[in-house]
Amino acid sequence: MPAGSGRLTLVSTHAPIPYFSGSVVRVDASLTSEPFVTPNQVVANATLSAEEQTLAGDPSAVPWLVLALIGVLATAVLAVLGVHYWGRWQAWLVGFPILLLLATTASVQAMILLPNTL
């Protein structure tokens, strides 16, 4: 681009099915007025890691997600067995914090795995 000109590119995704990104949508806008003084670029695309590029997810979250979901399932089964052997309130008192922790861990890992569209 020549000096004194500017352009803005907006990047988003087109999702035919909610929460599943299909393609990248780019909208370009050209500067029509006098530009302001531009500071140095803080983050260049070349310096971004592969996980931070457009529509990139982090596949290293898959094992942790699987382990967290197995933990949720095992804790739910143990809580049901605990109701039979201990009682309802005792099983809830022990099982609920563990279920909450494992469910939170699973949701965090799922968010890491999904593509970064926002």
Side-chain angles (χ1 to χ4, degrees), residues 68-110:
L69 291 175
I70 290 172
V72 167
L73 181 64
T75 305
V77 168
L78 289 175
V80 169
L81 291 175
V83 168
H84 179 67
Y85 289 106
W86 284 346
R88 179 177 295 172
W89 292 108
Q90 293 86 349
W92 271 105
L93 186 66
V94 173
F96 182 73
I98 299 170
L99 277 173
L100 184 64
L101 175 70
L102 290 172
T104 304
T105 303
S107 66
V108 167
Q109 295 304 319

Short mmCIF file of all heavy atoms in Angstrom, two decimals, residues 68-110:
data_model
loop_
_atom_site.label_atom_id
_atom_site.label_comp_id
_atom_site.label_asym_id
_atom_site.label_seq_id
_atom_site.Cartn_x
_atom_site.Cartn_y
_atom_site.Cartn_z
N ALA A 68 -11.51 -35.98 31.32
CA ALA A 68 -12.49 -35.28 32.15
C ALA A 68 -13.88 -35.88 31.97
O ALA A 68 -14.62 -36.04 32.96
CB ALA A 68 -12.50 -33.79 31.79
N LEU A 69 -14.25 -36.25 30.75
CA LEU A 69 -15.57 -36.86 30.53
C LEU A 69 -15.66 -38.25 31.15
O LEU A 69 -16.70 -38.62 31.69
CB LEU A 69 -15.88 -36.91 29.03
CG LEU A 69 -16.11 -35.54 28.38
CD1 LEU A 69 -16.29 -35.70 26.88
CD2 LEU A 69 -17.30 -34.85 29.00
N ILE A 70 -14.58 -39.01 31.10
CA ILE A 70 -14.55 -40.31 31.78
C ILE A 70 -14.69 -40.11 33.29
O ILE A 70 -15.40 -40.85 33.97
CB ILE A 70 -13.27 -41.09 31.43
CG1 ILE A 70 -13.32 -41.54 29.97
CG2 ILE A 70 -13.07 -42.28 32.36
CD1 ILE A 70 -12.02 -42.13 29.47
N GLY A 71 -14.02 -39.08 33.82
CA GLY A 71 -14.14 -38.77 35.25
C GLY A 71 -15.55 -38.37 35.63
O GLY A 71 -16.04 -38.76 36.69
N VAL A 72 -16.22 -37.59 34.78
CA VAL A 72 -17.61 -37.21 35.05
C VAL A 72 -18.49 -38.45 35.09
O VAL A 72 -19.32 -38.62 36.00
CB VAL A 72 -18.13 -36.21 33.99
CG1 VAL A 72 -19.63 -36.06 34.05
CG2 VAL A 72 -17.46 -34.86 34.17
N LEU A 73 -18.32 -39.34 34.13
CA LEU A 73 -19.12 -40.56 34.08
C LEU A 73 -18.85 -41.45 35.30
O LEU A 73 -19.79 -41.94 35.94
CB LEU A 73 -18.84 -41.32 32.79
CG LEU A 73 -19.62 -42.62 32.58
CD1 LEU A 73 -21.10 -42.32 32.48
CD2 LEU A 73 -19.12 -43.34 31.35
N ALA A 74 -17.58 -41.63 35.64
CA ALA A 74 -17.24 -42.47 36.79
C ALA A 74 -17.76 -41.87 38.09
O ALA A 74 -18.28 -42.59 38.96
CB ALA A 74 -15.72 -42.65 36.87
N THR A 75 -17.66 -40.56 38.23
CA THR A 75 -18.16 -39.91 39.45
C THR A 75 -19.67 -40.01 39.55
O THR A 75 -20.23 -40.21 40.64
CB THR A 75 -17.71 -38.44 39.48
OG1 THR A 75 -16.29 -38.38 39.35
CG2 THR A 75 -18.11 -37.77 40.77
N ALA A 76 -20.37 -39.89 38.42
CA ALA A 76 -21.83 -40.02 38.44
C ALA A 76 -22.24 -41.43 38.85
O ALA A 76 -23.17 -41.61 39.64
CB ALA A 76 -22.40 -39.67 37.07
N VAL A 77 -21.54 -42.44 38.33
CA VAL A 77 -21.84 -43.83 38.70
C VAL A 77 -21.57 -44.04 40.19
O VAL A 77 -22.37 -44.66 40.89
CB VAL A 77 -21.04 -44.81 37.82
CG1 VAL A 77 -21.12 -46.23 38.37
CG2 VAL A 77 -21.53 -44.76 36.38
N LEU A 78 -20.44 -43.54 40.66
CA LEU A 78 -20.11 -43.69 42.08
C LEU A 78 -21.09 -42.93 42.98
O LEU A 78 -21.40 -43.38 44.09
CB LEU A 78 -18.67 -43.23 42.34
CG LEU A 78 -17.58 -44.15 41.78
CD1 LEU A 78 -16.21 -43.53 41.99
CD2 LEU A 78 -17.65 -45.53 42.41
N ALA A 79 -21.59 -41.80 42.51
CA ALA A 79 -22.58 -41.05 43.30
C ALA A 79 -23.88 -41.82 43.41
O ALA A 79 -24.52 -41.85 44.47
CB ALA A 79 -22.81 -39.68 42.69
N VAL A 80 -24.29 -42.48 42.32
CA VAL A 80 -25.51 -43.29 42.37
C VAL A 80 -25.32 -44.47 43.32
O VAL A 80 -26.21 -44.80 44.11
CB VAL A 80 -25.88 -43.77 40.95
CG1 VAL A 80 -26.98 -44.82 41.00
CG2 VAL A 80 -26.31 -42.58 40.09
N LEU A 81 -24.15 -45.10 43.26
CA LEU A 81 -23.87 -46.18 44.21
C LEU A 81 -23.78 -45.65 45.64
O LEU A 81 -24.19 -46.33 46.59
CB LEU A 81 -22.57 -46.89 43.83
CG LEU A 81 -22.62 -47.73 42.56
CD1 LEU A 81 -21.24 -48.27 42.24
CD2 LEU A 81 -23.62 -48.86 42.69
N GLY A 82 -23.27 -44.43 45.79
CA GLY A 82 -23.18 -43.83 47.12
C GLY A 82 -24.54 -43.56 47.73
O GLY A 82 -24.71 -43.66 48.95
N VAL A 83 -25.51 -43.23 46.90
CA VAL A 83 -26.88 -43.03 47.40
C VAL A 83 -27.39 -44.33 48.00
O VAL A 83 -28.04 -44.34 49.05
CB VAL A 83 -27.81 -42.54 46.26
CG1 VAL A 83 -29.27 -42.61 46.67
CG2 VAL A 83 -27.44 -41.12 45.86
N HIS A 84 -27.08 -45.45 47.37
CA HIS A 84 -27.55 -46.74 47.86
C HIS A 84 -26.87 -47.13 49.17
O HIS A 84 -27.52 -47.66 50.09
CB HIS A 84 -27.31 -47.81 46.80
CG HIS A 84 -27.74 -49.17 47.20
ND1 HIS A 84 -29.07 -49.51 47.39
CD2 HIS A 84 -27.02 -50.29 47.49
CE1 HIS A 84 -29.13 -50.78 47.76
NE2 HIS A 84 -27.91 -51.27 47.81
N TYR A 85 -25.56 -46.90 49.28
CA TYR A 85 -24.81 -47.35 50.45
C TYR A 85 -24.73 -46.32 51.58
O TYR A 85 -24.69 -46.68 52.74
CB TYR A 85 -23.40 -47.78 50.05
CG TYR A 85 -23.39 -49.06 49.25
CD1 TYR A 85 -23.15 -49.03 47.89
CD2 TYR A 85 -23.66 -50.28 49.86
CE1 TYR A 85 -23.15 -50.21 47.14
CE2 TYR A 85 -23.67 -51.46 49.13
CZ TYR A 85 -23.42 -51.41 47.77
OH TYR A 85 -23.42 -52.57 47.05
N TRP A 86 -24.63 -45.01 51.25
CA TRP A 86 -24.47 -43.97 52.26
C TRP A 86 -25.77 -43.29 52.60
O TRP A 86 -26.06 -43.00 53.75
CB TRP A 86 -23.52 -42.88 51.78
CG TRP A 86 -22.08 -43.23 51.81
CD1 TRP A 86 -21.50 -44.28 52.43
CD2 TRP A 86 -21.04 -42.50 51.18
NE1 TRP A 86 -20.15 -44.26 52.22
CE2 TRP A 86 -19.84 -43.17 51.45
CE3 TRP A 86 -20.99 -41.35 50.41
CZ2 TRP A 86 -18.62 -42.72 50.99
CZ3 TRP A 86 -19.77 -40.91 49.96
CH2 TRP A 86 -18.60 -41.60 50.24
N GLY A 87 -26.47 -42.89 51.57
CA GLY A 87 -27.65 -42.05 51.74
C GLY A 87 -27.57 -40.91 50.73
O GLY A 87 -26.51 -40.61 50.17
N ARG A 88 -28.72 -40.29 50.51
CA ARG A 88 -28.80 -39.26 49.47
C ARG A 88 -27.93 -38.05 49.78
O ARG A 88 -27.17 -37.59 48.94
CB ARG A 88 -30.25 -38.83 49.30
CG ARG A 88 -30.41 -37.75 48.25
CD ARG A 88 -31.84 -37.39 48.04
NE ARG A 88 -32.52 -38.58 47.48
CZ ARG A 88 -33.81 -38.67 47.32
NH1 ARG A 88 -34.59 -37.67 47.68
NH2 ARG A 88 -34.35 -39.73 46.82
N TRP A 89 -28.03 -37.48 50.98
CA TRP A 89 -27.31 -36.25 51.29
C TRP A 89 -25.81 -36.47 51.38
O TRP A 89 -25.03 -35.61 50.96
CB TRP A 89 -27.84 -35.65 52.59
CG TRP A 89 -29.23 -35.15 52.42
CD1 TRP A 89 -30.36 -35.70 52.93
CD2 TRP A 89 -29.64 -34.04 51.63
NE1 TRP A 89 -31.47 -35.01 52.52
CE2 TRP A 89 -31.05 -33.97 51.71
CE3 TRP A 89 -28.98 -33.11 50.85
CZ2 TRP A 89 -31.78 -33.00 51.06
CZ3 TRP A 89 -29.71 -32.13 50.22
CH2 TRP A 89 -31.09 -32.09 50.32
N GLN A 90 -25.39 -37.61 51.90
CA GLN A 90 -23.96 -37.88 51.98
C GLN A 90 -23.35 -38.04 50.58
O GLN A 90 -22.25 -37.55 50.31
CB GLN A 90 -23.70 -39.16 52.80
CG GLN A 90 -24.05 -39.04 54.26
CD GLN A 90 -25.52 -39.34 54.54
OE1 GLN A 90 -26.34 -39.45 53.64
NE2 GLN A 90 -25.85 -39.45 55.82
N ALA A 91 -24.06 -38.71 49.68
CA ALA A 91 -23.55 -38.89 48.32
C ALA A 91 -23.49 -37.55 47.58
O ALA A 91 -22.53 -37.29 46.84
CB ALA A 91 -24.45 -39.87 47.56
N TRP A 92 -24.51 -36.70 47.77
CA TRP A 92 -24.48 -35.37 47.15
C TRP A 92 -23.35 -34.52 47.72
O TRP A 92 -22.69 -33.78 46.99
CB TRP A 92 -25.81 -34.65 47.37
CG TRP A 92 -26.81 -34.93 46.31
CD1 TRP A 92 -27.91 -35.73 46.41
CD2 TRP A 92 -26.81 -34.43 44.97
NE1 TRP A 92 -28.59 -35.77 45.22
CE2 TRP A 92 -27.93 -34.96 44.32
CE3 TRP A 92 -25.96 -33.58 44.27
CZ2 TRP A 92 -28.22 -34.68 43.00
CZ3 TRP A 92 -26.27 -33.29 42.95
CH2 TRP A 92 -27.39 -33.84 42.34
N LEU A 93 -23.14 -34.61 49.01
CA LEU A 93 -22.11 -33.81 49.66
C LEU A 93 -20.71 -34.16 49.15
O LEU A 93 -19.87 -33.30 48.96
CB LEU A 93 -22.18 -33.99 51.18
CG LEU A 93 -21.25 -33.12 52.01
CD1 LEU A 93 -21.66 -31.66 51.86
CD2 LEU A 93 -21.31 -33.54 53.46
N VAL A 94 -20.47 -35.44 48.89
CA VAL A 94 -19.17 -35.88 48.38
C VAL A 94 -19.10 -35.77 46.86
O VAL A 94 -18.10 -35.33 46.30
CB VAL A 94 -18.89 -37.34 48.84
CG1 VAL A 94 -17.63 -37.87 48.18
CG2 VAL A 94 -18.77 -37.40 50.34
N GLY A 95 -20.16 -36.15 46.17
CA GLY A 95 -20.11 -36.25 44.71
C GLY A 95 -20.25 -34.94 43.96
O GLY A 95 -19.63 -34.76 42.91
N PHE A 96 -21.05 -34.00 44.49
CA PHE A 96 -21.32 -32.78 43.74
C PHE A 96 -20.08 -31.93 43.49
O PHE A 96 -19.87 -31.47 42.36
CB PHE A 96 -22.41 -31.95 44.43
CG PHE A 96 -22.75 -30.71 43.68
CD1 PHE A 96 -23.48 -30.78 42.50
CD2 PHE A 96 -22.32 -29.47 44.14
CE1 PHE A 96 -23.79 -29.63 41.79
CE2 PHE A 96 -22.63 -28.32 43.44
CZ PHE A 96 -23.36 -28.40 42.26
N PRO A 97 -19.22 -31.67 44.49
CA PRO A 97 -18.02 -30.86 44.20
C PRO A 97 -17.10 -31.52 43.16
O PRO A 97 -16.51 -30.84 42.32
CB PRO A 97 -17.32 -30.73 45.54
CG PRO A 97 -18.35 -31.01 46.56
CD PRO A 97 -19.32 -31.96 45.92
N ILE A 98 -16.99 -32.84 43.22
CA ILE A 98 -16.15 -33.55 42.25
C ILE A 98 -16.76 -33.46 40.86
O ILE A 98 -16.05 -33.20 39.87
CB ILE A 98 -15.94 -35.01 42.69
CG1 ILE A 98 -15.24 -35.06 44.04
CG2 ILE A 98 -15.14 -35.78 41.65
CD1 ILE A 98 -15.19 -36.42 44.67
N LEU A 99 -18.07 -33.64 40.77
CA LEU A 99 -18.74 -33.49 39.47
C LEU A 99 -18.60 -32.08 38.92
O LEU A 99 -18.37 -31.89 37.73
CB LEU A 99 -20.23 -33.85 39.60
CG LEU A 99 -20.58 -35.32 39.54
CD1 LEU A 99 -22.05 -35.51 39.87
CD2 LEU A 99 -20.27 -35.88 38.17
N LEU A 100 -18.73 -31.09 39.78
CA LEU A 100 -18.60 -29.70 39.35
C LEU A 100 -17.19 -29.42 38.83
O LEU A 100 -17.02 -28.79 37.78
CB LEU A 100 -18.95 -28.77 40.51
CG LEU A 100 -18.96 -27.28 40.21
CD1 LEU A 100 -20.05 -26.96 39.19
CD2 LEU A 100 -19.16 -26.49 41.48
N LEU A 101 -16.19 -29.90 39.53
CA LEU A 101 -14.80 -29.70 39.10
C LEU A 101 -14.53 -30.38 37.76
O LEU A 101 -13.95 -29.78 36.85
CB LEU A 101 -13.85 -30.25 40.17
CG LEU A 101 -12.37 -30.22 39.79
CD1 LEU A 101 -11.86 -28.80 39.75
CD2 LEU A 101 -11.56 -31.06 40.74
N LEU A 102 -14.96 -31.63 37.61
CA LEU A 102 -14.71 -32.35 36.37
C LEU A 102 -15.52 -31.78 35.20
O LEU A 102 -15.03 -31.72 34.07
CB LEU A 102 -15.02 -33.84 36.56
CG LEU A 102 -14.02 -34.58 37.45
CD1 LEU A 102 -14.53 -35.98 37.75
CD2 LEU A 102 -12.65 -34.62 36.82
N ALA A 103 -16.73 -31.33 35.45
CA ALA A 103 -17.54 -30.72 34.39
C ALA A 103 -16.94 -29.39 33.94
O ALA A 103 -16.91 -29.07 32.74
CB ALA A 103 -18.97 -30.53 34.85
N THR A 104 -16.43 -28.62 34.88
CA THR A 104 -15.75 -27.37 34.53
C THR A 104 -14.49 -27.64 33.73
O THR A 104 -14.22 -26.96 32.73
CB THR A 104 -15.42 -26.57 35.80
OG1 THR A 104 -16.61 -26.36 36.55
CG2 THR A 104 -14.77 -25.25 35.46
N THR A 105 -13.72 -28.63 34.13
CA THR A 105 -12.52 -29.00 33.38
C THR A 105 -12.87 -29.45 31.97
O THR A 105 -12.21 -29.06 31.00
CB THR A 105 -11.76 -30.12 34.11
OG1 THR A 105 -11.45 -29.67 35.43
CG2 THR A 105 -10.50 -30.50 33.39
N ALA A 106 -13.92 -30.24 31.83
CA ALA A 106 -14.34 -30.71 30.50
C ALA A 106 -14.79 -29.54 29.63
O ALA A 106 -14.46 -29.48 28.43
CB ALA A 106 -15.47 -31.73 30.63
N SER A 107 -15.51 -28.58 30.20
CA SER A 107 -15.97 -27.44 29.38
C SER A 107 -14.81 -26.55 28.97
O SER A 107 -14.79 -26.04 27.85
CB SER A 107 -17.03 -26.64 30.14
OG SER A 107 -16.46 -26.03 31.28
N VAL A 108 -13.83 -26.37 29.83
CA VAL A 108 -12.65 -25.58 29.46
C VAL A 108 -11.89 -26.26 28.33
O VAL A 108 -11.47 -25.62 27.35
CB VAL A 108 -11.74 -25.36 30.69
CG1 VAL A 108 -10.38 -24.84 30.28
CG2 VAL A 108 -12.39 -24.41 31.67
N GLN A 109 -11.71 -27.57 28.42
CA GLN A 109 -11.00 -28.29 27.36
C GLN A 109 -11.78 -28.28 26.05
O GLN A 109 -11.20 -28.22 24.97
CB GLN A 109 -10.70 -29.73 27.80
CG GLN A 109 -9.76 -29.82 28.98
CD GLN A 109 -8.44 -29.11 28.74
OE1 GLN A 109 -7.86 -29.17 27.68
NE2 GLN A 109 -7.98 -28.39 29.75
N ALA A 110 -13.10 -28.33 26.13
CA ALA A 110 -13.91 -28.24 24.91
C ALA A 110 -13.77 -26.86 24.26
O ALA A 110 -13.71 -26.76 23.03
CB ALA A 110 -15.39 -28.53 25.24
#
